[in-house]
Amino acid sequence: MLQILRKSVSSWVGILILLLALGALVVTLFHPTGPGGGSGPSGKVMATVGDSPISETDYQKLVDRAVARERQRTPTITNPDFIKAGGGEMVLQQMISGKAMQAFAGKNGMAISRRMIDGEIASVPAFHVNGKFDEPTFRRLLADQRLSEQELRDSVEQDLLRRQLLQPVVAGTSVPRGMAEPFAALLLEVRRGSILPIPSAAMPDPGKPSDAQLKAFHDENKAAYTLPERRAFRFAEIDSFALAEKARPTAAEVRKYYDEHQQEFGGVEQREVRQVVIRDEAAAKAFVSAVRGGKPFLEAAAGEGYADVDTVLGVHSAADLAKTVNEGVSKAAFALKSGGVSDPVQSPLGWHVLMVDRILPAAARPFPSVSAEIEKKLTDEKTTDLLSDTVAKVEDRLQGGESLGDVAKSLGIAVQTSPALAADGRLFDANYQVTRVEQPLLPKAFDADPGEGPQVVELENGRYALLEVTDVIAPAVVPVDKIRADVEMAWGIKARSDAAKAEAERIAAAVSKGETLAQAGAGKALPPAQSLSVRRLELTQMAQQGQQVPPPVVLLLSTPKGQARVLAAPGGQGWFVVKVDDVTPGNLAEAPQLVDAVRQSLLRDAGNEMAESFVRTIERDVGVRRNPEAIKQVNSRLTGAIAQ
């Protein structure tokens, strides 16, 4: 369930750290430390890095965020699932590593400027509206993730420090060819063997279980008979279509835009301009003389250290060029003929020498042909602004204590209710029968903090809704007497599966001592064994292409020659006995180019290991002290959400 999560946390190359995403925004899981990062630790101290503690509150907050992120891939995952699968340990280790690197950077005089942090934040597309950083959008997304601006800044600072520390380590890693050769030879290895299925259905009927057997089975499998957390909520979607109608421009506004933006529609002369900026006036005049005397502009520019691309200013109107550079440069450029070179024009940067590559005369598209295009552009821009303004005002009203119903009524939008649903959309009736409900707002309801009251959430395609979680039903075990028939059926399936496992283990033991599969399975109503021959390289390529390699085939690769091993079939259907008959070592002469490919793969893995080793070294240098008892108590509490 957490395979992708494990991969992202264990590798420091490419992603470096476990990330949470706000659209395209990257926010690290590490909780901020240092001044401005909060009011200090609260709850049990789970670990101390240098002099900096990691508190229970910080840890739980980041576990909640990680679960919310993982829920996008696995809708049914809960905090207990995440902790039991090892996610809690991953989060704690990443918090330790982040604090250790931050302490190490400070100890060694590394610093990240506020301007660098501002630049990282301003470049996040999720914070942009119409291509520009938008403050209300920035504030709303932080509120959605329950992050303060200071927490975001501290997280970005930590991420920048990690890049500075780890990228040189990864980039300096090398792997000799001799190390790759044994791995390449292993990929060319050929294995021949047989797979014998042992179906559970082929085992004898176990009969009906006693009450004691049924209760014991129910107790051992409480998770299977536990209703997951369910949430009921109210919601009202903001009517973006109504806002679009309000935002529709008048005919006069459309015409005004056309008249004021002639350049956009070809109604203004434009010029494709090149320039060179020279610090010294005499040198600039010498440059002009050389070009007017016949020396090509680009050749003369190369003498001043300019490449071709460095001289390109692009296509501009006079007004646009004046804004881009200055009025003097614009006048000089538009006084030239095509191919002409200007006298030097002074600016604070130095002396500009301009050349006009070509002149694009005015050729305005007629107003009737572009009016619809302008109307749509203005409508979209005004709708975006109106929606942003509406959302900001709604958030203010909800934070001010107004109810979801009152705010929705003032906006003229209907309030709808959802019954208590599990995270994957399951609805349980009084008899524990299940139906599925399609509810797009469900992930938002499970991401929301019920204690925060009504809030504004962003949906797909730029839509927004008011949301309020009205009830949270904790996970609860269904009593055995309520679902006796289902438990009896599951007990029977398990009993047959256990019998199939015992038979598979008996056959595997006999085969490993020298019997054939046919001899060991004689007298049993079993399907015939399947023979196969596989090479590791083909199976590796299948996996790289996203194809599923059957687990019994994978087991064939790790079983010694002449031995047999046992593997469970999916869904309790039975077991497999996997026997290896022969192993042919790989011959590198068959595929010499494979060594270089394997070497590149090992190089990536070696970079990961070097980075991880470097981080562990930093942790030892800074000093890390874990509190095992506190860690155990906090995780026990987080996984103890099932009502008994």
Side-chain angles (χ1 to χ4, degrees):
M1 178 168 55
L2 297 177
Q3 181 179 1
I4 298 175
L5 177 67
R6 292 183 189 279
K7 182 177 179 182
S8 67
V9 176
S10 62
S11 173
W12 288 83
V13 178
I15 191 167
L16 299 182
I17 51 170
L18 177 61
L19 304 176
L20 293 178
L22 292 171
L25 169 65
V26 174
V27 181
T28 69
L29 265 181
F30 301 110
H31 190 70
T33 57
S39 57
S42 56
K44 295 181 181 297
V45 174
M46 302 178 67
T48 304
V49 183
D51 297 327
S52 180
I54 293 176
S55 72
E56 172 188 353
T57 302
D58 294 343
Y59 170 74
Q60 184 164 351
K61 180 189 295 185
L62 300 187
V63 167
D64 289 342
R65 290 178 187 164
V67 172
R69 175 63 177 164
E70 182 64 23
R71 195 173 283 138
Q72 296 178 17
R73 288 186 289 262
T74 311
T76 58
I77 190 173
T78 63
N79 282 31
D81 295 332
F82 182 84
I83 298 296
K84 290 176 181 177
E89 173 58 28
M90 294 182 225
V91 169
L92 179 59
Q93 180 56 52
Q94 291 299 316
M95 294 175 75
I96 290 171
S97 299
K99 282 180 176 288
M101 283 189 283
Q102 191 171 36
F104 180 82
K107 180 179 177 181
N108 289 277
M110 296 176 61
I112 302 297
S113 70
R114 183 178 181 86
R115 177 173 293 184
M116 290 176 66
I117 297 172
D118 288 343
E120 287 286 310
I121 294 174
S123 67
V124 174
F127 293 153
H128 291 189
V129 173
N130 295 327
K132 296 182 179 180
F133 180 83
D134 183 69
E135 183 79 14
T137 300
F138 170 71
R139 299 294 174 193
R140 183 180 64 256
L141 286 174
L142 290 186
D144 287 347
Q145 294 294 315
R146 296 190 287 278
L147 280 170
S148 70
E149 180 180 346
Q150 188 58 49
E151 286 177 323
L152 173 62
R153 287 183 171 278
D154 288 343
S155 295
V156 171
E157 179 183 1
Q158 286 191 356
D159 190 35
L160 290 169
L161 284 171
R162 276 186 293 275
R163 291 184 214 168
Q164 291 186 7
L165 282 169
L166 296 183
Q167 285 177 348
V169 175
V170 174
T173 307
S174 64
V175 173
R177 182 181 177 86
M179 183 182 293
E181 289 177 349
F183 291 96
L186 188 62
L187 287 175
L188 296 174
E189 176 187 273
V190 176
R191 287 179 169 249
R192 297 174 181 83
S194 302
I195 299 175
L196 174 66
I198 314 290
S200 297
M203 299 297 106
D205 185 350
K208 290 184 69 67
S210 66
D211 288 345
Q213 286 177 312
L214 204 62
K215 182 179 184 306
F217 179 79
H218 181 268
D219 290 344
E220 291 170 1
N221 296 276
K222 274 190 170 71
Y225 303 111
T226 299
L227 297 181
E229 178 184 306
R230 287 151 290 158
R231 293 192 174 195
F233 54 93
R234 300 195 305 158
F235 63 96
E237 185 171 345
I238 294 176
D239 191 346
S240 56
F241 294 104
L243 292 178
E245 284 302 315
K246 290 182 180 179
R248 196 173 300 282
T250 64
E253 288 175 322
V254 173
R255 182 69 204 201
K256 181 181 179 183
Y257 183 90
Y258 177 80
D259 292 339
E260 293 179 352
H261 296 79
Q262 282 294 296
Q263 175 184 339
E264 193 173 325
F265 306 106
V268 174
E269 179 187 299
Q270 294 178 290
R271 298 191 171 203
E272 187 173 2
V273 182
R274 292 181 182 271
Q275 80 163 358
V276 170
V277 181
I278 301 173
R279 297 294 298 174
D280 182 69
E281 181 181 11
K285 289 180 177 179
F287 180 94
V288 172
S289 297
V291 174
R292 289 176 178 173
K295 191 173 187 178
F297 185 88
L298 291 178
E299 182 181 334
E304 295 294 332
Y306 283 81
D308 184 341
V309 68
D310 297 332
T311 67
V312 175
L313 268 182
V315 177
H316 297 275
S317 68
D320 186 32
L321 190 56
K323 291 179 182 178
T324 304
V325 187
N326 63 42
E327 186 70 30
V329 166
S330 177
K331 287 182 178 179
F334 276 79
L336 297 171
K337 295 180 180 179
S338 181
V341 177
S342 73
D343 291 331
V345 180
Q346 189 177 19
S347 82
L349 297 176
W351 297 85
H352 299 247
V353 179
L354 311 160
M355 184 184 80
V356 174
D357 272 347
R358 61 189 176 116
I359 297 174
L360 288 72
R365 295 162 61 192
F367 175 72
S369 70
V370 297
S371 60
E373 176 186 329
I374 297 173
E375 182 177 354
K376 182 180 184 306
K377 175 183 175 67
L378 294 179
T379 299
D380 290 346
E381 290 179 354
K382 292 177 67 176
T383 300
T384 299
D385 293 341
L386 186 56
L387 181 60
S388 178
D389 183 60
T390 300
V391 168
K393 289 179 179 177
V394 167
E395 288 176 333
D396 289 342
R397 293 174 63 181
L398 293 177
Q399 291 173 6
E402 289 192 54
S403 69
L404 182 147
D406 288 343
V407 174
K409 183 177 180 180
S410 70
L411 295 175
I413 55 179
V415 177
Q416 304 178 60
T417 60
S418 170
L421 300 174
D424 59 356
R426 284 179 293 168
L427 175 66
F428 298 87
D429 65 16
N431 297 317
Y432 305 104
Q433 298 300 306
V434 180
T435 55
R436 288 196 177 267
V437 176
E438 189 67 29
Q439 174 49 264
L441 270 168
L442 193 58
K444 299 293 184 181
F446 272 83
D447 287 343
D449 182 349
E452 291 187 359
Q455 56 191 273
V456 178
V457 295
E458 184 173 3
L459 310 179
E460 294 180 353
N461 303 319
R463 297 181 296 116
Y464 293 85
L466 283 66
L467 172 71
E468 181 178 23
V469 177
T470 55
D471 192 18
V472 177
I473 304 174
V477 178
V478 181
V480 65
D481 60 302
K482 300 289 186 181
I483 49 172
R484 186 179 185 88
D486 291 337
V487 180
E488 283 184 353
M489 181 182 297
W491 179 89
I493 292 172
K494 178 66 165 54
R496 285 177 183 262
S497 177
D498 289 346
K501 180 183 181 183
E503 181 64 18
E505 289 175 340
R506 182 194 69 78
I507 292 174
V511 169
S512 295
K513 291 178 180 178
E515 291 188 31
T516 65
L517 283 172
Q519 291 171 334
K524 305 293 181 180
L526 300 175
Q530 298 180 19
S531 299
L532 73 161
S533 175
V534 298
R535 183 152 61 167
R536 291 177 183 271
L537 181 60
E538 280 76 13
L539 298 181
T540 301
Q541 291 170 339
M542 285 177 60
Q544 289 173 341
Q545 294 167 6
Q547 301 179 50
Q548 180 68 41
V549 179
V553 178
V554 176
L555 182 59
L556 191 73
L557 300 178
S558 60
T559 301
K561 179 180 177 179
Q563 298 295 301
R565 289 180 176 173
V566 170
L567 178 71
Q573 299 178 64
W575 295 78
F576 295 105
V577 177
V578 179
K579 161 87 183 301
V580 174
D581 297 316
D582 188 42
V583 178
T584 304
N587 182 0
L588 288 178
E590 297 177 5
Q593 72 281 3
L594 185 61
V595 176
D596 288 333
V598 171
R599 184 168 174 266
Q600 289 301 314
S601 176
L602 291 176
L603 186 61
R604 289 191 293 271
D605 293 338
N608 291 351
E609 293 179 8
M610 287 292 291
E612 291 178 17
S613 297
F614 183 58
V615 172
R616 299 292 87 80
T617 301
I618 287 176
E619 290 175 5
R620 288 193 293 271
D621 179 75
V622 172
V624 175
R625 300 180 300 282
R626 284 174 172 250
N627 185 343
E629 187 59 34
I631 294 171
K632 180 180 178 181
Q633 290 178 11
V634 172
N635 284 336
S636 295
R637 185 161 59 255
L638 290 177
T639 56
I642 297 177
Q644 301 294 329

